């Protein structure tokens, strides 16, 4: 930790005024809470946890659709592990519950396993629930292209991929926003590069620093961001050059380009975000599970706008029952320890909301590393961007 301590000392020497930064990625939130990085910061430098947990921001509408598909006898519904425990709109209903009731729900570690499954089970319909940021979307794109190449008619995709930069812009546009600079997620940067963040930094006049996940990488990102703020410099900087290249991963970006189009999309906790998601291109619509099973489209629909966690507080479902404040946590307006259910009615073993389910969720991070509420930093004042 000596390198971290040295960087913390540099940070103290650099900062002359109060600043509020947001780490966008849930993986970074976990690392910050785990290593106590926030507790090493100088007075006046505040970190807000961002919405970068793909499981947490997947709308209840999508979970409802996945559950409905998993109840059909001809369907094998598959997705990543955390998604199986995330409640939809109905209290306590998740994909594991559907499986316990006889639904065929499978856990995958790679989307390409869905391809093998579809070939092994030609008389069943295999549906892959595809969620996540720009980091996981290329693997979904590869799955779509391979299904097309093989002419697999019994595989389809329930797509709910999201894009990070539009969500960052939405946070900056919020009335009362207090975020003055971002630590951007290094793994997203490894795919997308730096260019797509330039308009955000330019239009909003903020520093955006590509940052890694180790303690010294986080501290280096914080130092860079504060130095830019102190100098009055907006722009995109790369404090994670060992992984992030200027152009990102051109091969992965080409896959995204071939398979997906950008759409307005609901984020749980943030509402509908313009250009905030990805949908299959029209030429691949035959792979779309919503079309194949005549489900309602959800991008930009009224149902999407009414996503249960879009407001200050969840208005329906298990969150409301528990007085869950997942929406405010995802907006950076509250800390997990502010939630009355935290650590009592809501635990990783019995989660009431997605941020406690996900391995990248802020509630899970606080429960794992900072269960003692007395250790948590004070919550932001309501209505003041926090
Ligand atoms: S602790 Fe549980 S109930 Fe509270 S905000 Fe987090 S997920 Fe929701």
């Amino acid at each position: 930790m000596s390198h971290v301590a040295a960087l913390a000392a540099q940070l103290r020497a650099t900062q002359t005024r109060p600043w509020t930064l947001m780490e966008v990625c849930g993986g970074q939130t976990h690392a910050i809470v785990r290593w106590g990085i926030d507790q090493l910061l100088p007075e006046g430098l505040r970190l807000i946890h961002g919405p970068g947990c793909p499981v947490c921001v997947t709308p209840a509408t999508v979970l409802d659709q996945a559950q409905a598909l998993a109840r059909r006898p001809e369907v094998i519904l598959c997705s990543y592990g955390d998604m199986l425990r995330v409640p939809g709109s109905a209290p306590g209903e998740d994909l594991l519950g559907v499986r316990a009731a006889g639904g065929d729900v499978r856990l995958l570690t790679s989307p390409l396993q869905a391809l093998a499954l579809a070939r092994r089970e030609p008389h069943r319909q295999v549906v892959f629930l595809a969620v996540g940021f720009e980091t996981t979307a290329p693997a979904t794109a590869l799955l779509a292209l391979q299904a097309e190449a093989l002419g697999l008619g019994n595989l389809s995709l329930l797509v709910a991929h999201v894009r990070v930069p539009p969500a960052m812009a939405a946070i900056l546009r919020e009335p009362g926003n207090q975020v003055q600079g971002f630590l951007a997620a290094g793994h997203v940067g490894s795919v997308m590069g730096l260019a797509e963040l330039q308009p955000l930094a330019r239009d909003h006049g903020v520093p955006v620093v590509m940052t890694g996940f180790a303690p010294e990488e986080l501290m280096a990102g914080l130092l860079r961001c504060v130095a830019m703020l102190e100098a009055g410099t907006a722009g995109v900087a790369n404090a994670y050059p060992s992984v992030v290249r200027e152009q990102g991963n051109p091969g992965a970006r080409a896959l995204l380009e071939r398979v997906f189009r950008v759409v307005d999309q609901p984020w749980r906790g943030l509402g509908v975000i313009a250009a905030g998601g990805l949908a299959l291109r029209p030429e691949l619509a035959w792979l779309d599970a919503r079309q194949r099973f005549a489900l309602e489209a959800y991008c930009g629909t009224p149902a999407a706008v009414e996503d249960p966690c879009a407001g200050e507080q969840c208005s329906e479902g298990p969150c409301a029952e528990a007085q869950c404040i997942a929406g405010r946590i995802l907006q950076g307006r509250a800390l997990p320890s502010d939630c009355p259910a935290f650590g009592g009615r809501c635990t990783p073993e019995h989660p009431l909301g997605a941020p406690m389910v996900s391995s990248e969720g802020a509630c899970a991070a606080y429960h794992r590393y900072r269960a003692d509420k007395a250790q948590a930093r004070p919550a932001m004042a309501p209505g003041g961007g926090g």
Side-chain angles (χ1 to χ4, degrees), residues 65 69 72 125 127 155-159 261 279-298:
Q65 292 184 331
L69 288 173
R72 296 173 71 125
Q125 283 288 328
V127 181
L155 176 68
S156 59
L157 308 176
L158 188 61
V159 176
R261 63 195 166 96
L280 290 166
R281 285 190 174 280
E283 56 270 30
L284 291 169
W286 64 274
L287 271 170
D288 187 344
R290 294 185 181 89
Q291 289 203 16
R292 187 170 301 179
F293 296 96
L295 302 176
E296 197 178 338
Y298 88 107

Side-chain angles (χ1 to χ4, degrees), residues 15 44 76 97 105 108 244 278 305 385:
Q15 185 200 342
I76 301 173
V105 178
L108 303 186
V244 178
L278 298 171
V305 176

Side-chain angles (χ1 to χ4, degrees), residues 21-25 28-30 32-33 38 47-52 171 328-336 362 366 370 377 380:
L21 312 183
M22 172 178 277
E23 90 277 2
V24 178
C25 170
Q28 289 174 335
T29 300
H30 267 251
I32 285 165
V33 176
D38 52 339
L47 264 181
I48 295 178
H49 308 315
I171 287 165
R328 292 180 59 209
I329 288 171
L330 289 168
Q331 292 164 12
R333 291 174 178 268
L335 291 172
Y366 272 70
R370 211 167 288 178
R377 302 189 89 193
M380 289 170 280

Side-chain angles (χ1 to χ4, degrees), residues 172-188:
L172 292 175
R173 282 194 299 268
E174 273 289 300
N177 164 63
Q178 294 188 354
V179 175
Q180 295 165 296
F182 286 106
L183 303 188
H187 52 3
V188 173

Side-chain angles (χ1 to χ4, degrees), residues 214-235:
E216 60 275 15
E217 291 165 349
L218 287 160
M219 201 54 96
L222 284 163
L223 178 58
R224 189 78 164 266
C225 200
V226 168
M228 290 173 77
L229 284 165
E230 292 282 342
T233 309

Side-chain angles (χ1 to χ4, degrees), residues 58-356:
T58 300
T61 321
V62 175
L63 275 309
D64 293 346
Q65 292 184 331
Q67 290 174 21
L69 288 173
R71 289 189 191 98
R72 296 173 71 125
E74 77 274 27
V75 166
I76 301 173
L77 192 289
C78 34
S79 193
Y80 304 116
D82 281 352
M83 292 310 298
L84 308 193
R85 300 178 64 217
V86 181
S89 298
E93 283 282 326
D94 59 23
L95 283 166
L96 281 183
V98 176
R99 181 161 81 176
D104 196 343
V105 178
R106 314 265 182 112
L107 185 160
L108 303 186
T109 52
S110 159
L112 294 183
Q113 291 171 323
L115 204 66
L117 192 54
R119 297 178 83 179
R120 268 203 317 273
E121 305 261 10
H123 305 299
R124 307 281 304 282
Q125 283 288 328
V126 175
V127 181
F128 178 61
L129 169 56
V131 301
F133 298 121
E134 294 92 330
T135 41
T136 53
T140 304
L142 196 58
L143 172 64
L145 293 176
Q146 296 212 0
E148 182 183 43
L150 292 168
L152 276 180
N154 68 325
L155 176 68
S156 59
L157 308 176
L158 188 61
V159 176
H161 282 296
V162 286
R163 301 176 64 237
V164 176
M168 295 163 72
I171 287 165
L172 292 175
R173 282 194 299 268
E174 273 289 300
N177 164 63
Q178 294 188 354
V179 175
Q180 295 165 296
F182 286 106
L183 303 188
H187 52 3
V188 173
S190 72
V191 174
M192 302 306 291
L194 306 181
E196 74 161 5
L197 288 168
Q198 297 287 4
L200 174 89
R202 184 192 57 232
D203 296 348
H204 294 275
V206 294
V208 180
V209 179
M210 205 55 79
T211 303
F213 298 83
E216 60 275 15
E217 291 165 349
L218 287 160
M219 201 54 96
L222 284 163
L223 178 58
R224 189 78 164 266
C225 200
V226 168
M228 290 173 77
L229 284 165
E230 292 282 342
T233 309
V236 182
N238 187 3
Y240 198 29
S242 58
V243 171
V244 178
R245 303 280 181 271
E246 177 78 26
Q247 296 305 320
N249 181 331
R253 287 172 50 208
L255 278 176
L256 295 179
E257 195 62 30
R258 248 178 98 183
V259 170
F260 295 116
R261 63 195 166 96
V262 172
V263 292
D264 299 348
Q265 189 148 305
W267 285 48
R268 199 169 188 159
L270 295 179
V272 175
I273 293 182
L278 298 171
L280 290 166
R281 285 190 174 280
E283 56 270 30
L284 291 169
W286 64 274
L287 271 170
D288 187 344
R290 294 185 181 89
Q291 289 203 16
R292 187 170 301 179
F293 296 96
L295 302 176
E296 197 178 338
Y298 88 107
C299 296
T301 64
V305 176
E306 290 162 14
D307 185 65
C309 292
E312 275 282 281
Q313 184 165 316
C314 300
S315 59
E316 58 181 85
C319 292
E321 280 212 337
Q323 296 294 299
C324 174
I325 59 167
R328 292 180 59 209
I329 288 171
L330 289 168
Q331 292 164 12
R333 291 174 178 268
L335 291 172
S337 47
D338 299 325
C339 174
F342 175 76
R345 283 171 294 147
C346 185
T347 63
E349 293 72 33
H350 300 285
L352 296 172
M356 189 61 94

